Amino acid sequence: MEAQSQALLEAQSQALQVEIASLRGLHQHRERSMAMQFEGRMQDALLSLSGKLGTEEAVSKLRAEVEQMEEDVTRQTGMNGIRLTSCTVKTLHKSDRGLEQQHTLAGSCLDLPFQVEFKLFEAQNKTITEMDIVLDTDDMLISPFVSRAEEDCDLPQFFRTLRYFSERLEDRRRTFQHFQEKYPSVVSLPEGSGSEVMNLIHPQLPGCVLAVHWSVAVSKEGDVTAQIHLLPRVPQTVHNMDSSRTLEGAAESFHSLLTTLGTEAALESLLLALSTGH
Amino acid sequence: MDTTRSLLSVILSELEMRVKKRQQRPPQQNRVEELKAKVEALVLQRDQLKAEIEANESVQKLRNLDPERSTLDGGDGSDRSVNSQLLQLMTRHAQLKDLLNAHHLIGGYDIIKTCQGKGVCVSIATLYRGVYLERYSLEIDVAPVLRIARHDVPPFVPLDRLAVRGGPLHTDFQGFLGTLSRHLNAYAGRKQQLKLVKEQHQSVEVMESNAPCSILVLMMTLPKKNVAVLCKLEYSEPTRCLPERVTVHSEDEELPETTQWKQNCTLLMETPVHEALASLIRNGVIK
């Protein structure tokens, strides 16, 4: 009798072990498409789904935790200045040596959309490899930095610079828009307020253009600087008439105006001179 | 309270009885008991796995339906069972967990409110070439005055200057963290480079280095003549991990003036030191 029940139990235990192994395999396979962790409140929720714990309580506790997390995400979004719109994590490899996951993030920094993919290997410390960045911008001046960041796999440094960069772009856009609204007869933005160029044209001298060229440069190491130049474009006939060579010195004079007054005030005084002339 | 206590005593006496029974039983019966317990544990484990797989499946379905969903309403009335509420909460929980994790990775910050909401605890990650290194933490009081209560930032990082009244800590918290993070990351980068030099290039001797890793003196040897070359790297910009100045001294006084060594100095200024040394060794310039 005893021997019989012992054999039965042994068989049962073996069958269960086989079943568990196959379920584990299935679970791991699923994790490859989306990794999920069941700890803490999530574990409770799981137990309650399988009828082992009171559901109402699990719902209210999980809800409280979710609310707390929503708050954390909002705070972290503000802190980083980065809005994430999608975020997927796939498990590539899991063993005693560590866990390797593929992360795909998409979002925006102010008006600048981005997508970043990388592999994260977690063992004693975390290591990022194979970072790939897609930035939706026409600004080529950031691309050497982007390549360097991909090479170095320096994720926070990339996002820190991206924030400085998009803030400078936003400054430029706001300034261009401000002057266009204030001096509509003089200012034109041929490629929109997001572009590098603002043209200043005196209404009575349609052929003469003072182009304000405002670029935002990023060094390979991630330093962001704005570079503003004034480029006069006039027909040859006007050039010939300019006996005191005012035009030739315009770029330089504007530069010294910039360093003494700052960007906005320098542009303002230039525009004031142009608009009072007519 | 009383019911809990009486329940507890019932359980305890039950346990006591079981122990006694077990002690009286012959060894074979013990084996059966063991097997029974094992089977029970296995059943539990199987059920848990099954539930995880099912939950994972349902949550994945929900996520695929609407990856951007932030409301937790259950659609039409019939679908508002407690279980579906729970599933939706679990979906959102999983999304938020991934989002938070992603924010920690990309920002390098982890910010938690301290108890009673009187302040925040900020932890800043450092990394070099994709490897996450030490984290540094600051406990910042918000009320009654904004100040750093405690921290483990190394003393040579100019935290006082950043946190001075009217400084970045008070005017622009994001900027403060940005600057602090640049200082810490540059330090971590210099320290890691020094570590890699010691690990990878035993033929190069580190003669001198300091705590902020802003000065590094290396002794190298020219392969043929066995002439020693002393190379000093000065990292005077604390937010960079490449040197501002590289100087070379040698017994051969003309050596620093040669075109080759001027190029070598440029290489050391533009490339992380362990990699620059690897390239010099590879090209047979030094041993």
Side-chain angles (χ1 to χ4, degrees), chain A residues 10 24 27 30 43 65 70 76 78-79 85 126 128 160 221 223, chain B residues 31 45 48 52 57 68 92-93 109 111 130 132 174 181-182 240:
Chain A
E10 256 160 21
R24 250 201 205 120
H27 197 35
R30 291 280 157 76
Q43 171 99 26
E65 192 166 279
E70 299 270 8
Q76 204 79 45
M79 236 33 256
T85 49
K126 293 179 184 168
I128 290 175
R160 204 163 43 233
E221 284 178 77
D223 295 314
Chain B
R31 173 75 184 133
Q45 204 181 345
Q48 165 96 16
E52 277 191 25
E57 216 164 73
E68 264 285 290
R92 187 64 187 150
H93 191 283
Y109 309 125
I111 298 171
Y132 282 78
Q174 205 182 43
S181 171
R182 284 185 69 182
R240 291 186 71 215

PDB file of all heavy atoms in Angstrom, chain A residues 10 24 27 30 43 65 70 76 78-79 85 126 128 160 221 223, chain B residues 31 45 48 52 57 68 92-93 109 111 130 132 174 181-182 240:
ATOM      1  N   GLU A  10       5.593   9.579  -6.924  1.00  0.00           N
ATOM      2  CA  GLU A  10       6.820   9.842  -7.682  1.00  0.00           C
ATOM      3  C   GLU A  10       6.507  10.139  -9.146  1.00  0.00           C
ATOM      4  O   GLU A  10       7.062  11.063  -9.737  1.00  0.00           O
ATOM      5  CB  GLU A  10       7.790   8.675  -7.549  1.00  0.00           C
ATOM      6  CG  GLU A  10       8.908   9.022  -6.587  1.00  0.00           C
ATOM      7  CD  GLU A  10       9.616   7.802  -6.023  1.00  0.00           C
ATOM      8  OE1 GLU A  10       9.534   6.726  -6.649  1.00  0.00           O
ATOM      9  OE2 GLU A  10      10.229   7.940  -4.952  1.00  0.00           O
ATOM     10  N   ARG A  24       7.822  26.656 -18.723  1.00  0.00           N
ATOM     11  CA  ARG A  24       8.929  27.602 -18.636  1.00  0.00           C
ATOM     12  C   ARG A  24       9.435  27.989 -20.018  1.00  0.00           C
ATOM     13  O   ARG A  24       9.716  29.138 -20.302  1.00  0.00           O
ATOM     14  CB  ARG A  24      10.079  26.978 -17.854  1.00  0.00           C
ATOM     15  CG  ARG A  24      10.192  27.651 -16.565  1.00  0.00           C
ATOM     16  CD  ARG A  24      11.441  27.581 -15.822  1.00  0.00           C
ATOM     17  NE  ARG A  24      10.981  27.792 -14.459  1.00  0.00           N
ATOM     18  CZ  ARG A  24      11.130  26.954 -13.483  1.00  0.00           C
ATOM     19  NH1 ARG A  24      11.801  25.840 -13.675  1.00  0.00           N
ATOM     20  NH2 ARG A  24      10.644  27.224 -12.314  1.00  0.00           N
ATOM     21  N   HIS A  27       7.018  30.250 -21.547  1.00  0.00           N
ATOM     22  CA  HIS A  27       7.109  31.557 -20.904  1.00  0.00           C
ATOM     23  C   HIS A  27       8.297  32.350 -21.440  1.00  0.00           C
ATOM     24  O   HIS A  27       8.185  33.525 -21.749  1.00  0.00           O
ATOM     25  CB  HIS A  27       7.255  31.348 -19.394  1.00  0.00           C
ATOM     26  CG  HIS A  27       6.962  32.565 -18.592  1.00  0.00           C
ATOM     27  ND1 HIS A  27       5.998  33.474 -18.958  1.00  0.00           N
ATOM     28  CD2 HIS A  27       7.495  33.034 -17.439  1.00  0.00           C
ATOM     29  CE1 HIS A  27       5.969  34.443 -18.069  1.00  0.00           C
ATOM     30  NE2 HIS A  27       6.868  34.198 -17.136  1.00  0.00           N
ATOM     31  N   ARG A  30       7.589  33.624 -24.864  1.00  0.00           N
ATOM     32  CA  ARG A  30       6.722  34.812 -24.814  1.00  0.00           C
ATOM     33  C   ARG A  30       7.524  36.049 -24.424  1.00  0.00           C
ATOM     34  O   ARG A  30       7.298  37.129 -24.940  1.00  0.00           O
ATOM     35  CB  ARG A  30       5.615  34.623 -23.767  1.00  0.00           C
ATOM     36  CG  ARG A  30       4.602  33.602 -24.134  1.00  0.00           C
ATOM     37  CD  ARG A  30       3.580  34.176 -25.112  1.00  0.00           C
ATOM     38  NE  ARG A  30       2.950  33.134 -25.872  1.00  0.00           N
ATOM     39  CZ  ARG A  30       2.009  32.336 -25.392  1.00  0.00           C
ATOM     40  NH1 ARG A  30       1.566  32.500 -24.173  1.00  0.00           N
ATOM     41  NH2 ARG A  30       1.500  31.383 -26.130  1.00  0.00           N
ATOM     42  N   GLN A  43       2.450  40.504  -8.301  1.00  0.00           N
ATOM     43  CA  GLN A  43       2.365  39.110  -7.865  1.00  0.00           C
ATOM     44  C   GLN A  43       1.012  38.871  -7.195  1.00  0.00           C
ATOM     45  O   GLN A  43       0.342  37.887  -7.468  1.00  0.00           O
ATOM     46  CB  GLN A  43       3.511  38.839  -6.888  1.00  0.00           C
ATOM     47  CG  GLN A  43       3.431  37.514  -6.190  1.00  0.00           C
ATOM     48  CD  GLN A  43       4.324  36.489  -6.865  1.00  0.00           C
ATOM     49  OE1 GLN A  43       5.310  36.840  -7.497  1.00  0.00           O
ATOM     50  NE2 GLN A  43       3.972  35.234  -6.745  1.00  0.00           N
ATOM     51  N   GLU A  65      -0.712  51.749  -6.361  1.00  0.00           N
ATOM     52  CA  GLU A  65       0.675  51.692  -6.827  1.00  0.00           C
ATOM     53  C   GLU A  65       0.807  52.292  -8.223  1.00  0.00           C
ATOM     54  O   GLU A  65       1.758  53.017  -8.515  1.00  0.00           O
ATOM     55  CB  GLU A  65       1.177  50.247  -6.813  1.00  0.00           C
ATOM     56  CG  GLU A  65       2.680  50.171  -6.997  1.00  0.00           C
ATOM     57  CD  GLU A  65       3.233  48.792  -6.658  1.00  0.00           C
ATOM     58  OE1 GLU A  65       3.426  48.528  -5.466  1.00  0.00           O
ATOM     59  OE2 GLU A  65       3.461  47.992  -7.575  1.00  0.00           O
ATOM     60  N   GLU A  70       2.459  56.666 -11.933  1.00  0.00           N
ATOM     61  CA  GLU A  70       2.116  57.724 -12.901  1.00  0.00           C
ATOM     62  C   GLU A  70       2.796  59.026 -12.474  1.00  0.00           C
ATOM     63  O   GLU A  70       3.352  59.759 -13.282  1.00  0.00           O
ATOM     64  CB  GLU A  70       0.598  57.977 -12.943  1.00  0.00           C
ATOM     65  CG  GLU A  70      -0.244  56.784 -13.361  1.00  0.00           C
ATOM     66  CD  GLU A  70      -0.477  56.694 -14.857  1.00  0.00           C
ATOM     67  OE1 GLU A  70       0.147  57.473 -15.608  1.00  0.00           O
ATOM     68  OE2 GLU A  70      -1.268  55.822 -15.263  1.00  0.00           O
ATOM     69  N   GLN A  76       9.743  62.343 -13.558  1.00  0.00           N
ATOM     70  CA  GLN A  76      10.958  61.969 -14.289  1.00  0.00           C
ATOM     71  C   GLN A  76      10.957  62.585 -15.698  1.00  0.00           C
ATOM     72  O   GLN A  76      11.994  63.000 -16.188  1.00  0.00           O
ATOM     73  CB  GLN A  76      11.025  60.444 -14.363  1.00  0.00           C
ATOM     74  CG  GLN A  76      12.412  59.893 -14.542  1.00  0.00           C
ATOM     75  CD  GLN A  76      13.229  59.865 -13.254  1.00  0.00           C
ATOM     76  OE1 GLN A  76      12.736  59.464 -12.212  1.00  0.00           O
ATOM     77  NE2 GLN A  76      14.463  60.305 -13.319  1.00  0.00           N
ATOM     78  N   GLY A  78       9.603  65.429 -16.539  1.00  0.00           N
ATOM     79  CA  GLY A  78       9.947  66.833 -16.359  1.00  0.00           C
ATOM     80  C   GLY A  78      11.433  67.015 -16.126  1.00  0.00           C
ATOM     81  O   GLY A  78      12.068  67.890 -16.702  1.00  0.00           O
ATOM     82  N   MET A  79      11.984  66.136 -15.301  1.00  0.00           N
ATOM     83  CA  MET A  79      13.396  66.218 -14.947  1.00  0.00           C
ATOM     84  C   MET A  79      14.290  65.998 -16.160  1.00  0.00           C
ATOM     85  O   MET A  79      15.259  66.697 -16.381  1.00  0.00           O
ATOM     86  CB  MET A  79      13.683  65.103 -13.938  1.00  0.00           C
ATOM     87  CG  MET A  79      14.261  65.482 -12.634  1.00  0.00           C
ATOM     88  SD  MET A  79      13.765  67.014 -11.992  1.00  0.00           S
ATOM     89  CE  MET A  79      15.203  67.951 -12.319  1.00  0.00           C
ATOM     90  N   THR A  85       7.038  58.314 -25.853  1.00  0.00           N
ATOM     91  CA  THR A  85       5.710  57.922 -26.309  1.00  0.00           C
ATOM     92  C   THR A  85       5.584  56.415 -26.442  1.00  0.00           C
ATOM     93  O   THR A  85       4.496  55.876 -26.319  1.00  0.00           O
ATOM     94  CB  THR A  85       5.368  58.570 -27.662  1.00  0.00           C
ATOM     95  OG1 THR A  85       6.468  58.341 -28.541  1.00  0.00           O
ATOM     96  CG2 THR A  85       5.148  60.055 -27.515  1.00  0.00           C
ATOM     97  N   LYS A 126      25.393  47.205 -15.444  1.00  0.00           N
ATOM     98  CA  LYS A 126      24.641  47.281 -16.695  1.00  0.00           C
ATOM     99  C   LYS A 126      25.560  47.786 -17.799  1.00  0.00           C
ATOM    100  O   LYS A 126      26.373  48.676 -17.576  1.00  0.00           O
ATOM    101  CB  LYS A 126      23.491  48.277 -16.542  1.00  0.00           C
ATOM    102  CG  LYS A 126      22.429  47.833 -15.569  1.00  0.00           C
ATOM    103  CD  LYS A 126      21.366  48.918 -15.482  1.00  0.00           C
ATOM    104  CE  LYS A 126      20.331  48.555 -14.455  1.00  0.00           C
ATOM    105  NZ  LYS A 126      19.453  49.673 -14.141  1.00  0.00           N
ATOM    106  N   ILE A 128      25.506  48.988 -21.983  1.00  0.00           N
ATOM    107  CA  ILE A 128      24.743  49.253 -23.195  1.00  0.00           C
ATOM    108  C   ILE A 128      25.611  48.953 -24.409  1.00  0.00           C
ATOM    109  O   ILE A 128      26.776  49.351 -24.455  1.00  0.00           O
ATOM    110  CB  ILE A 128      24.298  50.723 -23.226  1.00  0.00           C
ATOM    111  CG1 ILE A 128      23.228  50.941 -22.163  1.00  0.00           C
ATOM    112  CG2 ILE A 128      23.755  51.109 -24.592  1.00  0.00           C
ATOM    113  CD1 ILE A 128      22.805  52.360 -22.025  1.00  0.00           C
ATOM    114  N   ARG A 160      21.229  64.351 -22.740  1.00  0.00           N
ATOM    115  CA  ARG A 160      21.538  65.646 -22.146  1.00  0.00           C
ATOM    116  C   ARG A 160      21.826  66.649 -23.260  1.00  0.00           C
ATOM    117  O   ARG A 160      21.273  67.747 -23.300  1.00  0.00           O
ATOM    118  CB  ARG A 160      22.763  65.492 -21.237  1.00  0.00           C
ATOM    119  CG  ARG A 160      22.846  66.531 -20.158  1.00  0.00           C
ATOM    120  CD  ARG A 160      23.781  66.148 -19.040  1.00  0.00           C
ATOM    121  NE  ARG A 160      25.030  65.562 -19.469  1.00  0.00           N
ATOM    122  CZ  ARG A 160      25.493  64.397 -19.035  1.00  0.00           C
ATOM    123  NH1 ARG A 160      24.812  63.708 -18.161  1.00  0.00           N
ATOM    124  NH2 ARG A 160      26.642  63.917 -19.460  1.00  0.00           N
ATOM    125  N   GLU A 221      31.995  66.190 -28.539  1.00  0.00           N
ATOM    126  CA  GLU A 221      31.872  65.855 -27.123  1.00  0.00           C
ATOM    127  C   GLU A 221      30.553  66.314 -26.519  1.00  0.00           C
ATOM    128  O   GLU A 221      30.301  66.125 -25.329  1.00  0.00           O
ATOM    129  CB  GLU A 221      33.036  66.461 -26.336  1.00  0.00           C
ATOM    130  CG  GLU A 221      34.317  65.699 -26.532  1.00  0.00           C
ATOM    131  CD  GLU A 221      35.458  66.341 -25.798  1.00  0.00           C
ATOM    132  OE1 GLU A 221      35.522  66.182 -24.575  1.00  0.00           O
ATOM    133  OE2 GLU A 221      36.264  67.034 -26.454  1.00  0.00           O
ATOM    134  N   ASP A 223      29.145  69.619 -26.656  1.00  0.00           N
ATOM    135  CA  ASP A 223      28.921  71.013 -26.279  1.00  0.00           C
ATOM    136  C   ASP A 223      28.085  71.693 -27.359  1.00  0.00           C
ATOM    137  O   ASP A 223      28.372  71.560 -28.547  1.00  0.00           O
ATOM    138  CB  ASP A 223      30.262  71.752 -26.128  1.00  0.00           C
ATOM    139  CG  ASP A 223      31.066  71.185 -24.977  1.00  0.00           C
ATOM    140  OD1 ASP A 223      30.461  70.990 -23.899  1.00  0.00           O
ATOM    141  OD2 ASP A 223      32.262  70.903 -25.159  1.00  0.00           O
TER     142      ASP A 223
ATOM    143  N   ARG B  31       8.891   9.305   3.846  1.00  0.00           N
ATOM    144  CA  ARG B  31       9.214   9.462   2.425  1.00  0.00           C
ATOM    145  C   ARG B  31       7.948   9.853   1.652  1.00  0.00           C
ATOM    146  O   ARG B  31       7.976  10.733   0.800  1.00  0.00           O
ATOM    147  CB  ARG B  31       9.788   8.124   1.922  1.00  0.00           C
ATOM    148  CG  ARG B  31      10.029   8.056   0.437  1.00  0.00           C
ATOM    149  CD  ARG B  31      11.267   8.844   0.030  1.00  0.00           C
ATOM    150  NE  ARG B  31      11.403   8.834  -1.415  1.00  0.00           N
ATOM    151  CZ  ARG B  31      11.656   9.892  -2.139  1.00  0.00           C
ATOM    152  NH1 ARG B  31      11.786  11.078  -1.562  1.00  0.00           N
ATOM    153  NH2 ARG B  31      11.787   9.800  -3.446  1.00  0.00           N
ATOM    154  N   GLN B  45       3.765  25.714  -8.085  1.00  0.00           N
ATOM    155  CA  GLN B  45       4.692  26.322  -9.046  1.00  0.00           C
ATOM    156  C   GLN B  45       4.082  26.324 -10.449  1.00  0.00           C
ATOM    157  O   GLN B  45       4.164  27.312 -11.172  1.00  0.00           O
ATOM    158  CB  GLN B  45       5.993  25.514  -9.041  1.00  0.00           C
ATOM    159  CG  GLN B  45       7.195  26.294  -9.517  1.00  0.00           C
ATOM    160  CD  GLN B  45       8.430  25.412  -9.511  1.00  0.00           C
ATOM    161  OE1 GLN B  45       8.440  24.340  -8.913  1.00  0.00           O
ATOM    162  NE2 GLN B  45       9.466  25.853 -10.187  1.00  0.00           N
ATOM    163  N   GLN B  48       1.275  28.880 -10.731  1.00  0.00           N
ATOM    164  CA  GLN B  48       1.854  30.231 -10.798  1.00  0.00           C
ATOM    165  C   GLN B  48       2.347  30.533 -12.210  1.00  0.00           C
ATOM    166  O   GLN B  48       2.063  31.567 -12.783  1.00  0.00           O
ATOM    167  CB  GLN B  48       3.014  30.300  -9.796  1.00  0.00           C
ATOM    168  CG  GLN B  48       3.938  31.476  -9.989  1.00  0.00           C
ATOM    169  CD  GLN B  48       3.581  32.633  -9.082  1.00  0.00           C
ATOM    170  OE1 GLN B  48       2.837  32.459  -8.119  1.00  0.00           O
ATOM    171  NE2 GLN B  48       4.081  33.807  -9.394  1.00  0.00           N
ATOM    172  N   GLU B  52       1.016  33.278 -14.816  1.00  0.00           N
ATOM    173  CA  GLU B  52       1.909  34.292 -15.395  1.00  0.00           C
ATOM    174  C   GLU B  52       1.769  34.334 -16.903  1.00  0.00           C
ATOM    175  O   GLU B  52       1.700  35.400 -17.513  1.00  0.00           O
ATOM    176  CB  GLU B  52       3.374  34.002 -15.024  1.00  0.00           C
ATOM    177  CG  GLU B  52       3.747  34.528 -13.659  1.00  0.00           C
ATOM    178  CD  GLU B  52       5.252  34.494 -13.397  1.00  0.00           C
ATOM    179  OE1 GLU B  52       6.031  34.517 -14.361  1.00  0.00           O
ATOM    180  OE2 GLU B  52       5.615  34.433 -12.213  1.00  0.00           O
ATOM    181  N   GLU B  57      -0.239  37.045 -21.557  1.00  0.00           N
ATOM    182  CA  GLU B  57      -0.969  37.008 -22.812  1.00  0.00           C
ATOM    183  C   GLU B  57      -2.056  38.085 -22.847  1.00  0.00           C
ATOM    184  O   GLU B  57      -2.159  38.849 -23.801  1.00  0.00           O
ATOM    185  CB  GLU B  57      -1.595  35.636 -22.958  1.00  0.00           C
ATOM    186  CG  GLU B  57      -1.616  35.123 -24.374  1.00  0.00           C
ATOM    187  CD  GLU B  57      -1.874  33.631 -24.367  1.00  0.00           C
ATOM    188  OE1 GLU B  57      -3.025  33.253 -24.083  1.00  0.00           O
ATOM    189  OE2 GLU B  57      -0.934  32.864 -24.611  1.00  0.00           O
ATOM    190  N   GLU B  68      -1.073  53.386 -26.280  1.00  0.00           N
ATOM    191  CA  GLU B  68      -0.958  54.714 -25.667  1.00  0.00           C
ATOM    192  C   GLU B  68      -2.021  54.939 -24.594  1.00  0.00           C
ATOM    193  O   GLU B  68      -2.155  56.031 -24.069  1.00  0.00           O
ATOM    194  CB  GLU B  68      -1.113  55.793 -26.746  1.00  0.00           C
ATOM    195  CG  GLU B  68       0.211  56.290 -27.273  1.00  0.00           C
ATOM    196  CD  GLU B  68       0.915  57.210 -26.292  1.00  0.00           C
ATOM    197  OE1 GLU B  68       0.424  58.330 -26.106  1.00  0.00           O
ATOM    198  OE2 GLU B  68       1.924  56.805 -25.722  1.00  0.00           O
ATOM    199  N   ARG B  92      -1.212  48.659 -17.373  1.00  0.00           N
ATOM    200  CA  ARG B  92      -0.663  49.989 -17.150  1.00  0.00           C
ATOM    201  C   ARG B  92       0.585  49.911 -16.259  1.00  0.00           C
ATOM    202  O   ARG B  92       1.555  50.611 -16.473  1.00  0.00           O
ATOM    203  CB  ARG B  92      -1.754  50.874 -16.511  1.00  0.00           C
ATOM    204  CG  ARG B  92      -1.380  52.334 -16.385  1.00  0.00           C
ATOM    205  CD  ARG B  92      -1.166  52.996 -17.736  1.00  0.00           C
ATOM    206  NE  ARG B  92      -0.656  54.349 -17.609  1.00  0.00           N
ATOM    207  CZ  ARG B  92       0.132  54.929 -18.512  1.00  0.00           C
ATOM    208  NH1 ARG B  92       0.476  54.289 -19.606  1.00  0.00           N
ATOM    209  NH2 ARG B  92       0.554  56.158 -18.336  1.00  0.00           N
ATOM    210  N   HIS B  93       0.506  49.021 -15.269  1.00  0.00           N
ATOM    211  CA  HIS B  93       1.636  48.842 -14.361  1.00  0.00           C
ATOM    212  C   HIS B  93       2.878  48.434 -15.149  1.00  0.00           C
ATOM    213  O   HIS B  93       3.964  48.993 -14.958  1.00  0.00           O
ATOM    214  CB  HIS B  93       1.278  47.769 -13.329  1.00  0.00           C
ATOM    215  CG  HIS B  93       2.243  47.676 -12.186  1.00  0.00           C
ATOM    216  ND1 HIS B  93       3.466  47.071 -12.317  1.00  0.00           N
ATOM    217  CD2 HIS B  93       2.165  48.112 -10.905  1.00  0.00           C
ATOM    218  CE1 HIS B  93       4.099  47.128 -11.147  1.00  0.00           C
ATOM    219  NE2 HIS B  93       3.331  47.765 -10.278  1.00  0.00           N
ATOM    220  N   TYR B 109      19.174  59.756 -14.053  1.00  0.00           N
ATOM    221  CA  TYR B 109      18.750  60.181 -12.711  1.00  0.00           C
ATOM    222  C   TYR B 109      17.671  59.256 -12.206  1.00  0.00           C
ATOM    223  O   TYR B 109      16.896  58.724 -12.978  1.00  0.00           O
ATOM    224  CB  TYR B 109      18.090  61.571 -12.715  1.00  0.00           C
ATOM    225  CG  TYR B 109      18.846  62.640 -13.385  1.00  0.00           C
ATOM    226  CD1 TYR B 109      18.255  63.375 -14.391  1.00  0.00           C
ATOM    227  CD2 TYR B 109      20.138  62.936 -13.004  1.00  0.00           C
ATOM    228  CE1 TYR B 109      18.937  64.386 -15.024  1.00  0.00           C
ATOM    229  CE2 TYR B 109      20.830  63.946 -13.634  1.00  0.00           C
ATOM    230  CZ  TYR B 109      20.229  64.667 -14.640  1.00  0.00           C
ATOM    231  OH  TYR B 109      20.903  65.652 -15.263  1.00  0.00           O
ATOM    232  N   ILE B 111      14.855  59.865  -9.228  1.00  0.00           N
ATOM    233  CA  ILE B 111      14.413  60.820  -8.217  1.00  0.00           C
ATOM    234  C   ILE B 111      13.252  60.239  -7.427  1.00  0.00           C
ATOM    235  O   ILE B 111      12.260  59.816  -7.989  1.00  0.00           O
ATOM    236  CB  ILE B 111      13.991  62.145  -8.879  1.00  0.00           C
ATOM    237  CG1 ILE B 111      15.194  62.733  -9.588  1.00  0.00           C
ATOM    238  CG2 ILE B 111      13.461  63.125  -7.842  1.00  0.00           C
ATOM    239  CD1 ILE B 111      14.885  63.905 -10.439  1.00  0.00           C
ATOM    240  N   GLY B 130      29.196  53.127 -22.352  1.00  0.00           N
ATOM    241  CA  GLY B 130      28.084  52.198 -22.237  1.00  0.00           C
ATOM    242  C   GLY B 130      28.066  51.350 -20.973  1.00  0.00           C
ATOM    243  O   GLY B 130      27.122  50.616 -20.740  1.00  0.00           O
ATOM    244  N   TYR B 132      27.649  51.155 -17.068  1.00  0.00           N
ATOM    245  CA  TYR B 132      27.204  51.936 -15.915  1.00  0.00           C
ATOM    246  C   TYR B 132      28.156  51.707 -14.756  1.00  0.00           C
ATOM    247  O   TYR B 132      28.428  50.571 -14.385  1.00  0.00           O
ATOM    248  CB  TYR B 132      25.767  51.544 -15.518  1.00  0.00           C
ATOM    249  CG  TYR B 132      24.737  52.168 -16.436  1.00  0.00           C
ATOM    250  CD1 TYR B 132      24.501  51.647 -17.697  1.00  0.00           C
ATOM    251  CD2 TYR B 132      24.027  53.296 -16.048  1.00  0.00           C
ATOM    252  CE1 TYR B 132      23.576  52.233 -18.553  1.00  0.00           C
ATOM    253  CE2 TYR B 132      23.097  53.892 -16.891  1.00  0.00           C
ATOM    254  CZ  TYR B 132      22.880  53.356 -18.139  1.00  0.00           C
ATOM    255  OH  TYR B 132      21.974  53.937 -18.979  1.00  0.00           O
ATOM    256  N   GLN B 174      17.068  71.544 -13.063  1.00  0.00           N
ATOM    257  CA  GLN B 174      17.435  70.663 -14.158  1.00  0.00           C
ATOM    258  C   GLN B 174      18.875  70.948 -14.619  1.00  0.00           C
ATOM    259  O   GLN B 174      19.660  70.038 -14.837  1.00  0.00           O
ATOM    260  CB  GLN B 174      16.470  70.924 -15.303  1.00  0.00           C
ATOM    261  CG  GLN B 174      16.290  69.783 -16.244  1.00  0.00           C
ATOM    262  CD  GLN B 174      15.344  70.165 -17.360  1.00  0.00           C
ATOM    263  OE1 GLN B 174      15.427  71.266 -17.901  1.00  0.00           O
ATOM    264  NE2 GLN B 174      14.450  69.275 -17.697  1.00  0.00           N
ATOM    265  N   SER B 181      25.984  66.187 -13.204  1.00  0.00           N
ATOM    266  CA  SER B 181      26.125  64.918 -13.893  1.00  0.00           C
ATOM    267  C   SER B 181      27.312  64.945 -14.861  1.00  0.00           C
ATOM    268  O   SER B 181      28.036  63.949 -15.001  1.00  0.00           O
ATOM    269  CB  SER B 181      24.819  64.624 -14.621  1.00  0.00           C
ATOM    270  OG  SER B 181      24.958  63.534 -15.443  1.00  0.00           O
ATOM    271  N   ARG B 182      27.545  66.096 -15.509  1.00  0.00           N
ATOM    272  CA  ARG B 182      28.703  66.201 -16.419  1.00  0.00           C
ATOM    273  C   ARG B 182      30.011  66.063 -15.647  1.00  0.00           C
ATOM    274  O   ARG B 182      30.927  65.376 -16.080  1.00  0.00           O
ATOM    275  CB  ARG B 182      28.682  67.545 -17.145  1.00  0.00           C
ATOM    276  CG  ARG B 182      27.661  67.598 -18.244  1.00  0.00           C
ATOM    277  CD  ARG B 182      27.738  68.890 -19.008  1.00  0.00           C
ATOM    278  NE  ARG B 182      28.953  68.974 -19.799  1.00  0.00           N
ATOM    279  CZ  ARG B 182      29.269  70.039 -20.530  1.00  0.00           C
ATOM    280  NH1 ARG B 182      28.473  71.080 -20.556  1.00  0.00           N
ATOM    281  NH2 ARG B 182      30.372  70.059 -21.230  1.00  0.00           N
ATOM    282  N   ARG B 240      35.489  67.321 -18.745  1.00  0.00           N
ATOM    283  CA  ARG B 240      35.919  66.541 -19.903  1.00  0.00           C
ATOM    284  C   ARG B 240      36.729  65.332 -19.449  1.00  0.00           C
ATOM    285  O   ARG B 240      37.332  65.344 -18.377  1.00  0.00           O
ATOM    286  CB  ARG B 240      36.808  67.389 -20.819  1.00  0.00           C
ATOM    287  CG  ARG B 240      36.071  68.500 -21.515  1.00  0.00           C
ATOM    288  CD  ARG B 240      36.980  69.195 -22.506  1.00  0.00           C
ATOM    289  NE  ARG B 240      37.263  68.348 -23.662  1.00  0.00           N
ATOM    290  CZ  ARG B 240      38.434  68.340 -24.313  1.00  0.00           C
ATOM    291  NH1 ARG B 240      39.430  69.084 -23.902  1.00  0.00           N
ATOM    292  NH2 ARG B 240      38.601  67.560 -25.358  1.00  0.00           N
TER     293      ARG B 240
END
